[in-house]
Amino acid sequence: MEIWINPACSKCRSAVKLLDEEGASYTVRRYLEDVPSEVEIRAVLERLGLEPWDLLRTQEDEARQLNLKDRTAWPRDASGRDRWIAALAAHPRLIQRPILTADDGSAVVARSPEAVREALGRK
């Protein structure tokens, strides 16, 4: 398993704590330092079954600066998908966290203990 975290995030710290309590074997990726490539973001999106705008942290300054809530400038459909992925790669703070990838090829946005346990069940 791998977990993408921002150590300053309480949800990330809680997820790591739960993984430790459960004795899970995992790798930590500090995704703000080890920024995922567009290819990696595409792979995680596929594993999550989500679109790039579904991972958006709208409250981040970068989201406001890029005007990502403007659906005319940033269409949420196939025509805008590549641009969204490029934005997430260029501005990793925009990526929802934590993301936990399971060994079975699935992934979850592990913001709750239930989501972490779901991923643990897939080990």
Side-chain angles (χ1 to χ4, degrees), residues 32-112:
L32 297 180
E33 298 164 15
D34 183 8
V35 178
S37 68
E38 290 184 30
V39 170
E40 290 173 304
I41 291 169
R42 286 178 196 286
V44 163
L45 287 167
E46 185 174 324
R47 292 173 82 168
L48 289 166
L50 297 175
E51 292 295 340
W53 46 87
D54 296 328
L55 284 185
L56 180 64
R57 294 180 51 80
T58 58
Q59 71 278 20
E60 296 295 335
D61 287 339
E62 291 94 333
R64 285 187 288 282
Q65 291 166 359
L66 294 170
N67 200 25
L68 295 178
K69 287 186 178 180
D70 181 344
R71 290 181 183 244
T72 302
W74 290 88
R76 295 182 180 202
D77 59 26
S79 71
R81 192 169 200 274
D82 290 342
R83 186 171 175 220
W84 277 95
I85 291 169
L88 293 174
H91 305 278
R93 283 195 188 281
L94 296 174
I95 300 172
Q96 193 59 260
R97 60 183 184 248
I99 295 175
L100 188 56
T101 57
D103 293 340
D104 71 352
S106 64
V108 296
V109 178
R111 295 190 54 77
S112 70

Side-chain angles (χ1 to χ4, degrees), residues 1 18-19 22 24-25 100-108 113-123:
M1 297 178 78
L18 182 55
L19 290 172
E22 296 293 327
S25 175
L100 188 56
T101 57
D103 293 340
D104 71 352
S106 64
V108 296
E114 295 77 25
V116 174
R117 287 188 184 95
E118 177 186 340
L120 285 171
R122 298 177 182 171
K123 288 194 254 184

